[in-house]
Amino acid sequence: MTILLTGGAGYIGTHTCVALLELGYDIIVADNYINSTPLAIDRVKEITGKNFKSYDVDVCDIPGMERVFEENKIDAVIHFAGLKAVGESCAIPLRYYRNNLDSTLTLLECMQKYGVRNFVFSSSATVYGTSQNMPLDEKEPTGCTNPYGWTKYMIEQILRDTAAADPEFSAVLLRYFNPIGAHESGLIGEDPNGIPNNLMPRILNTAAGKMKALTVFGNDYPTPDGTGVRDYIHVCDLAEGHAAAIKYAVEHKGAEAINLGTGNGYSVFEMIHTFEEVNHTPVPYTLEPRRPGDIATCYASPEKAEKCLGWKAKRGLAEMCRDAWNWQQKNPNGYKA
Ligand code: WQD
């Protein structure tokens, strides 16, 4: 089976490439490298010892994407390509709606034209908005608080409507919680453009001395230690969840939203202390007011993923912290020389 991964050179894309290659799938990557680099593709080949085609193409580029489908027999698509910074989406919403929706519509029209009917979509727990009913399950009402989240919400609806119109179409909408960590080799990992927003990249910058101290956004939340609680999931567990989703998509029809989370919530302080303990490296921090838009607690019900995909996260917080630091130490400037 041949799987096309759009955005396959990105953080979750590269880890999913490794997981699929190691399971014996053939893969093709389509990426415009706006938030990634061809070096990441070389690292995937180094890890797996396998070769595969990659296309430097924007998924919004209709002729460019039709060439990918013309030149290859594609059995399924995993769609990672998209802009994904919450704060940036508030500053330039039209760029987010144009890019994320246009690329998805182009991809789906190509799939229809070339008879490809299996689709796995990189959705996000952000579609649950400010819901407080923890653990979050897939029946929870959805609604977003930022343009990035609304693009995910709208694409989920596009996929449901496509499945309703085409009984042969199959789509799995994977709602990621908080992916962190890196492949144990330290050859691939998260390489945010510019100053990162998320907790783990900022912990890594602090531990590496690039930031004087981590800012802890609020310790007055209604949580055990007052700091924000999230469902952190090892990126390799997430990648394996995509492989399970491909299998499910091929064996089923219709559109199915499925959480990819561990079902465990960890606070910012728990993350800091685990990181320091595992890596014997201090993470100095300062307490700051809450970050606008943050919620106190967010973690998944992993039941549907286990029932439908036969998948459950295996790696714990210590392994996430160890593997993240290993990537940072081996690549102090990410993929940049
Ligand atoms: C986690 C916790 C912060 C940074 C975001 C996106 C979401 C998804 C995952 C794409 C919170 C605290 C953070 C810092 C801190 N991405 N924090 N100091 O906000 O849960 O989710 O990433 O789908 O769409 O919104 O992740 O890592 O930014 O924050 O105290 O310097 O860490 O307040 O409690 P978040 P995060």
Side-chain angles (χ1 to χ4, degrees):
M1 257 188 80
T2 299
I3 319 287
L4 169 65
L5 292 91
T6 70
Y11 173 42
I12 298 162
T14 47
H15 286 84
T16 305
C17 286
V18 169
L20 292 173
L21 288 166
E22 289 181 344
L23 285 168
Y25 289 99
D26 294 317
I27 67 167
I28 296 160
V29 170
D31 202 306
N32 64 2
Y33 303 113
I34 189 172
N35 267 333
S36 54
T37 163
L39 174 58
I41 297 292
D42 298 338
R43 296 284 183 87
V44 170
K45 293 176 180 174
E46 186 179 343
I47 291 170
T48 59
K50 300 202 172 179
N51 202 1
F52 53 90
K53 275 198 246 182
S54 57
Y55 289 78
D56 181 349
V57 63
D58 187 321
V59 184
C60 297
D61 169 6
I62 299 175
M65 286 308 293
E66 290 194 341
R67 181 173 154 243
V68 176
F69 282 83
E70 284 283 354
E71 294 180 357
N72 302 281
K73 185 191 173 308
I74 293 164
D75 298 296
V77 176
I78 304 181
H79 183 33
F80 292 107
L83 299 174
K84 65 175 185 71
V86 170
E88 185 184 55
S89 77
C90 298
I92 48 172
L94 288 181
R95 178 133 155 60
Y96 269 69
Y97 285 116
R98 168 60 68 189
N99 182 77
N100 291 2
L101 299 183
D102 210 356
S103 58
T104 304
L105 293 170
T106 297
L107 184 58
L108 289 170
E109 286 171 344
C110 276
M111 288 176 68
Q112 265 181 358
K113 181 172 179 179
Y114 293 93
V116 181
R117 287 191 166 80
N118 301 307
F119 194 86
V120 173
F121 174 55
S122 166
S123 189
S124 167
T126 205
V127 301
Y128 292 117
T130 56
S131 171
Q132 294 301 309
N133 300 326
M134 299 302 148
L136 288 168
D137 74 24
E138 293 82 351
K139 291 191 282 299
E140 187 66 19
T142 50
C144 302
T145 58
N146 57 76
Y148 159 75
W150 283 118
T151 66
K152 295 296 186 182
Y153 177 98
M154 292 174 187
I155 293 167
E156 287 198 0
Q157 191 54 49
I158 290 168
L159 294 171
R160 283 193 192 88
D161 291 344
T162 304
D166 177 357
E168 288 307 304
F169 187 73
S170 173
V172 181
L173 294 48
L174 295 176
R175 292 174 177 170
Y176 306 163
F177 280 70
N178 289 58
I180 62 169
H183 186 266
E184 60 186 7
S185 65
L187 288 171
I188 54 176
E190 187 173 12
D191 185 17
N193 266 348
I195 298 172
N197 294 311
N198 294 139
L199 179 62
M200 180 53 87
R202 289 165 74 98
I203 285 178
L204 292 173
N205 279 354
T206 303
K210 292 182 179 178
M211 278 167 56
K212 266 181 65 185
L214 174 76
T215 48
V216 174
F217 293 132
N219 69 332
D220 57 350
Y221 284 104
T223 62
D225 63 19
T227 62
V229 171
R230 295 291 184 273
D231 186 331
Y232 299 100
I233 176 169
H234 196 294
V235 65
C236 291
D237 277 328
L238 199 74
E240 289 160 15
H242 284 74
I246 281 284
K247 189 169 176 298
Y248 183 88
V250 169
E251 293 167 357
H252 296 79
K253 302 298 176 199
E256 205 67 64
I258 299 179
N259 289 338
L260 288 189
T262 68
N264 303 311
Y266 292 102
S267 75
V268 176
F269 281 158
E270 283 176 310
M271 176 71 83
I272 292 171
H273 298 147
T274 303
F275 186 94
E276 290 181 324
E277 200 176 307
V278 166
N279 296 315
H280 313 297
T281 305
V283 179
Y285 64 84
T286 57
L287 284 174
E288 306 290 332
R290 295 182 182 187
R291 181 172 66 174
D294 274 355
I295 57 176
T297 300
C298 179
Y299 59 91
S301 162
E303 282 177 22
K304 187 173 179 183
E306 196 166 351
K307 178 167 158 281
C308 294
L309 307 181
W311 168 91
K312 189 172 169 61
K314 296 181 298 208
R315 299 162 176 92
L317 195 64
E319 202 167 343
M320 295 179 217
C321 290
R322 184 200 66 198
D323 293 342
W325 185 231
N326 182 42
W327 154 256
Q328 172 66 42
Q329 288 188 297
K330 290 183 172 162
N331 305 272
N333 296 310
Y335 290 110
K336 300 158 195 73

